Amino acid sequence: MNIEHFLTNANPSWMQNEDDSDIVISTRIRFARNIAGTRFPNSFTEEEAQGIEDQVMNALFSIEQNPYRFSYFPIKDLPQLQRQILVEKHLISPNLAKRQKIGSVFITEDEAFSIMVNEEDHIRIQCLACGMHIEDAFEKARKIDRYLSRHINFAYQEQYGYLTSCPTNVGTGLRASVMLHLPALTVTKQMNALIQMMTRLGMVVRGIYGEGSENLGSVYQISNQITLGKSELDILQELRDVVEQVIRKEQSARKALLIRAPSTLEDRLSRSLGTLKYAKILTSEEAASCLSNVRLGVSLGLLKPISQSRLNECMLLIQPGFIQQYVGTTLQPAERDMYRAKLLQDKLRQQDESVNNGEKGEDSI
């Protein structure tokens, strides 16, 4: 596949599977791996980096038929805007996007799998899934991990497990994350206490783009913090237990909001839908906040149905890279705010037209 396939499609097939959960957006499984006998990326040479990339490419393309049909993209060949869109789609990290000479990514057609090479570690294997499918995503990512391990000698010690650049990943090298939409806990100011509780349970709460990012539209990522001294299955079960607790708290908070001031809540959510449909200027923060309110309103039955996949698509489209891709040129922040408003109006109008045509709100683009 060429790079345009991954830049123009804001709604990849893995995101289109409707899930019965209106709180869990997606699941991500990531393995950090390094090659034995080779210096880590913080100290290797360009020649060593190229050797690592050659090993991964040989494993995926040359030794036997590539069962996953990955497409390969060296980061240095991608303009800044294309890198930004790949970050916005969670296919690469912000750190890899900053690389000038080394680093690459392998991506499957449905974008459910990506493998970053020469980011913080030599190899980072990632699997994305819609909704909460922790064990399923883990098994799929582990198949790729095992496939690569048949051709690449990973750095592993009996005492510590997999060796990684950052000590926080030593052991299993597994980072399991669930992305949640938590508007009721956010508006009732319960998130700070919840984050402290999860830290005590060995979890970490991050923003929409992972480490160092802020939450946008009341969207948070919950991940395991500990990778050493626990089995992979223990890590997954602990994450599931914590996420299910958070879901129950969000559900309770939503019920409390409905009981406390239903008219005020409905008015706020309806105003957000009106803003998305008629505003002429929208910052990314305001658009994300309004989309969060609309998602909540649909979930509570206070607004007309809009598919989760359409709302997920809109969350991607409001980001700076996608706005500029949509327009086809580089834009200043003020210009992006105008085009963001227009883009959302177009998407919501298409949604209304599909409903009026009897398509039950499903995507027709």
Side-chain angles (χ1 to χ4, degrees):
M1 307 295 294
N2 57 36
I3 189 64
E4 282 70 26
H5 169 81
F6 303 102
L7 302 177
T8 55
N9 182 12
N11 199 12
S13 57
W14 72 266
M15 283 180 54
Q16 296 174 26
N17 298 320
E18 293 291 342
D19 197 273
D20 56 2
S21 171
D22 54 3
I23 296 175
V24 181
I25 296 175
S26 62
T27 300
R28 182 178 75 107
I29 297 292
R30 188 222 65 195
F31 289 117
R33 299 289 186 255
N34 289 278
I35 298 176
T38 307
R39 287 185 289 184
F40 288 163
N42 58 359
S43 60
F44 63 13
T45 65
E46 286 185 35
E47 289 73 20
E48 288 170 320
Q50 186 59 54
I52 292 161
E53 195 164 304
D54 291 344
Q55 286 194 56
V56 177
M57 189 176 299
N58 190 45
L60 291 177
F61 293 139
S62 301
I63 293 177
E64 59 189 72
Q65 185 177 6
N66 169 19
Y68 299 100
R69 300 178 63 83
F70 280 99
S71 297
Y72 162 70
F73 304 104
I75 293 300
K76 62 181 175 56
D77 292 347
L78 302 179
Q80 191 56 46
L81 177 58
Q82 295 183 355
R83 301 183 191 192
Q84 185 174 351
I85 293 173
L86 295 181
V87 172
E88 292 172 358
K89 299 182 80 172
H90 302 278
L91 293 172
I92 66 172
S93 69
N95 284 337
L96 187 64
K98 295 175 185 174
R99 295 287 196 186
Q100 297 300 317
K101 297 181 179 178
I102 63 171
S104 60
V105 62
F106 296 80
I107 309 173
T108 55
E109 182 178 355
D110 65 356
E111 304 177 27
F113 301 98
S114 65
I115 300 175
M116 290 189 293
V117 180
N118 293 327
E119 198 248 18
E120 185 177 82
D121 293 290
H122 294 155
I123 301 168
R124 288 198 163 188
I125 304 164
Q126 171 180 276
C127 177
L128 295 167
C130 191
M132 189 159 77
H133 296 283
I134 298 173
E135 291 78 12
D136 181 58
F138 169 77
E139 289 299 330
K140 289 176 178 176
R142 190 163 67 165
K143 283 184 179 179
I144 296 179
D145 178 42
R146 288 175 171 172
Y147 176 81
L148 288 177
S149 70
R150 292 201 295 270
H151 308 296
I152 297 174
N153 183 22
F154 290 149
Y156 182 89
Q157 283 191 351
E158 195 65 35
Q159 182 178 2
Y160 298 110
Y162 291 100
L163 304 182
T164 57
S165 295
C166 179
T168 60
N169 292 316
V170 170
T172 62
L174 167 64
R175 190 76 67 195
S177 307
V178 177
M179 189 175 290
L180 299 168
H181 179 228
L182 305 173
L185 290 172
T186 302
V187 76
T188 55
K189 302 186 185 306
Q190 297 182 62
M191 280 307 300
N192 286 340
L194 197 62
I195 289 170
Q196 291 177 14
M197 180 198 78
M198 283 188 277
T199 301
R200 291 195 294 273
L201 295 173
M203 300 292 157
V204 61
V205 181
R206 296 186 170 111
I208 194 168
Y209 298 119
E211 188 171 359
S213 65
E214 300 292 331
N215 92 81
L216 193 64
S218 300
V219 174
Y220 303 84
Q221 283 190 67
I222 300 177
S223 310
N224 64 297
Q225 194 169 28
I226 299 170
T227 59
L228 182 64
K230 292 184 178 181
S231 72
E232 293 166 331
L233 294 182
D234 286 343
I235 290 171
L236 299 181
Q237 185 60 51
E238 289 175 3
L239 176 65
R240 172 174 285 281
D241 292 343
V242 168
V243 169
E244 288 177 348
Q245 285 186 50
V246 174
I247 291 173
R248 288 194 289 272
K249 288 181 179 296
E250 171 67 20
Q251 291 170 334
S252 297
R254 292 184 182 192
K255 290 178 182 176
L257 284 175
L258 271 175
I259 293 172
R260 191 183 306 160
S263 297
T264 302
L265 178 63
E266 185 172 4
D267 178 71
R268 179 164 62 85
L269 303 184
S270 298
R271 284 174 182 270
S272 291
L273 181 58
T275 299
L276 292 177
K277 284 188 172 182
Y278 301 111
K280 298 300 181 185
I281 297 174
L282 278 174
T283 65
S284 56
E285 290 79 10
E286 187 178 12
S289 176
C290 289
L291 283 170
S292 172
N293 284 336
V294 168
R295 184 189 291 270
L296 177 62
V298 171
S299 171
L300 296 176
L302 298 176
L303 297 177
K304 290 182 179 179
I306 302 176
S307 67
Q308 297 288 342
S309 63
R310 175 54 60 94
L311 292 171
N312 291 341
E313 179 190 20
C314 287
M315 279 296 290
L316 274 177
L317 289 171
I318 65 172
Q319 299 172 89
F322 264 106
I323 294 291
Q324 294 172 92
Q325 172 77 15
Y326 171 72
V327 178
T329 186
T330 303
L331 299 171
Q332 295 300 312
E335 295 173 313
R336 293 201 295 265
D337 292 346
M338 289 190 291
Y339 279 106
R340 182 178 293 109
K342 183 179 184 308
L343 179 56
L344 286 172
Q345 287 173 21
D346 290 344
K347 291 295 175 184
L348 291 174
R349 185 177 61 253
Q350 291 167 4
Q351 168 73 27
D352 290 342
E353 290 172 354
S354 67
V355 171
N356 292 334
N357 291 334
E359 297 175 18
K360 299 180 180 179
E362 297 301 323
D363 298 332
S364 58
I365 300 173

